[in-house]
Amino acid sequence: MRSTLTVPRSSLVAPRVVGRYSQAREGNLVLVFGGIHGNEVSGVLALRAVFRHLEATRPSFRGKVVGISGNLAALAAGQRFIDNDLNRHWDAEGIRRLRGQSPETPSSSEDREALQLLQTIDAELGEDGPWTDRIFVDLHATSAGGGGFSIIHDAEANREIAARMHLPLIFGIEKKLQSTLMSHLYDRGMNGVVFEGGRIGSQEAIDVHTAGLWTLLTSLGCLHPKDVPDYRYQINRMIDAAEGLPKAVRTIYRHRIDPEDRFRMLPGYRNFQPVLKDQHLGDDAYGPVLAPLDALLLMPLYQEQGSEGFFLVEAVDY
Ligand SMILES: [Zn+2]
């Protein structure tokens, strides 16, 4: 059964920084982003739950965690974005352009958001910290159901962060998607993952994001398991979310779309669903869209806004 959650939009008019918690100036700095896409509210809600608990119980904490809200205007509007995708502003040229903009007269709603985010990131990274590692997690959700997973740039440190949350690994998407926040944070020397929590609007995505954050913070040694609400549940939630999924997959095809294509995915597809060459996946202005090869489907598009209809991946040894 699918449960769809109704979150009052007024409750999502969040401050840029959802929370900041630290008890000892040693250990790791962890920056967690939620709602870079404004209709993916699970990340913001998970961050709120984590910070509410930390503030209420004030446990000892080795390192520092900061929760950052992404597209505030789009979160308030319940849309993926207002003018353009906030997750496509972050290449070197885009950053140069943003830094040259006046904060009072940005050229789009997302330019305003990106500039504020950039200043928030600058402030957190610029602070002289004694931090061992600077780690990020970027929380997202997909318009199709089917498991939590992580998108990473393939490096040992990033694999390790995903493994701490028991998340399947997706390799190669970062090469097909330039100018994401993830690539910017890598360029600044951070390690981290994009963490897809599940279907947009589902309670599952909130639970998986929340469990993943508790699991990560504990595994990094920031928190003692006894200070996490129902630690066993949180670990098992992550293990359950990955059950039956490949440990790692490689991206082999990206179905790029433009609005004039009028692409429509056929209903019922899920993340990691096997498809066969020539299988009918959707339709667009030019006719049926068929799978170009045997593969596993990833991120089939079931929302209006988006520039990829779907990805195809294959399991790899890991
Ligand atoms: Zn997203």
Side-chain angles (χ1 to χ4, degrees), residues 35-40 80 85 87 138-142 194 196 200 303:
I36 290 291
H37 291 131
N39 58 336
E40 301 170 14
R80 183 174 171 87
D85 190 335
N87 209 18
D138 185 11
L139 303 171
H140 286 258
T142 52
V194 165
E196 300 279 358
I200 291 171
Q303 59 185 337

Side-chain angles (χ1 to χ4, degrees), residues 19 23 107 109 117 127 185 264 279 301 308 318:
Q23 289 278 337
S107 58
S109 180
L117 277 169
E127 175 208 302
L185 297 171
R264 284 285 173 277
Q279 187 167 333
L301 185 71
E308 284 79 30
Y318 175 64

Side-chain angles (χ1 to χ4, degrees), residues 36 71 73-74 80-87 89 98 106-115:
I36 290 291
N71 198 330
R80 183 174 171 87
F81 54 75
I82 303 293
D83 296 318
N84 48 58
D85 190 335
L86 180 56
N87 209 18
H89 284 244
L98 281 176
S107 58
S108 70
S109 180
E110 276 70 25
D111 275 4
R112 181 196 315 273
E113 303 280 349
L115 188 54

Side-chain angles (χ1 to χ4, degrees), residues 142-249:
T142 52
S143 58
F149 55 91
S150 65
I151 296 169
I152 67 164
H153 172 77
D154 189 12
E156 190 52 41
N158 301 326
R159 289 183 178 209
E160 190 185 302
I161 293 164
R164 290 178 186 282
M165 296 184 277
H166 307 273
L167 289 169
L169 299 164
I170 315 295
F171 299 133
I173 283 191
E174 87 287 354
K175 296 187 192 112
K176 294 184 164 52
L177 298 180
Q178 301 297 323
S179 63
T180 58
L181 176 62
M182 173 169 84
S183 60
H184 173 66
L185 297 171
Y186 286 143
D187 287 347
R188 298 186 73 159
M190 301 187 80
N191 297 313
V193 302
V194 165
F195 172 6
E196 300 279 358
R199 192 172 58 81
I200 291 171
S202 66
Q203 181 63 47
E204 177 195 20
I206 303 170
D207 292 348
V208 168
H209 273 152
T210 309
L213 292 178
W214 286 130
T215 307
L216 177 67
L217 293 173
T218 312
S219 157
L220 287 170
C222 299
L223 276 172
H224 192 282
K226 73 173 170 42
D227 292 323
V228 169
D230 203 348
Y231 176 68
R232 266 287 122 213
Y233 164 83
Q234 312 294 354
I235 295 271
N236 287 332
R237 188 70 194 79
M238 297 311 291
I239 292 170
D240 284 354
E243 198 184 334
L245 303 181
K247 274 195 156 54
V249 300

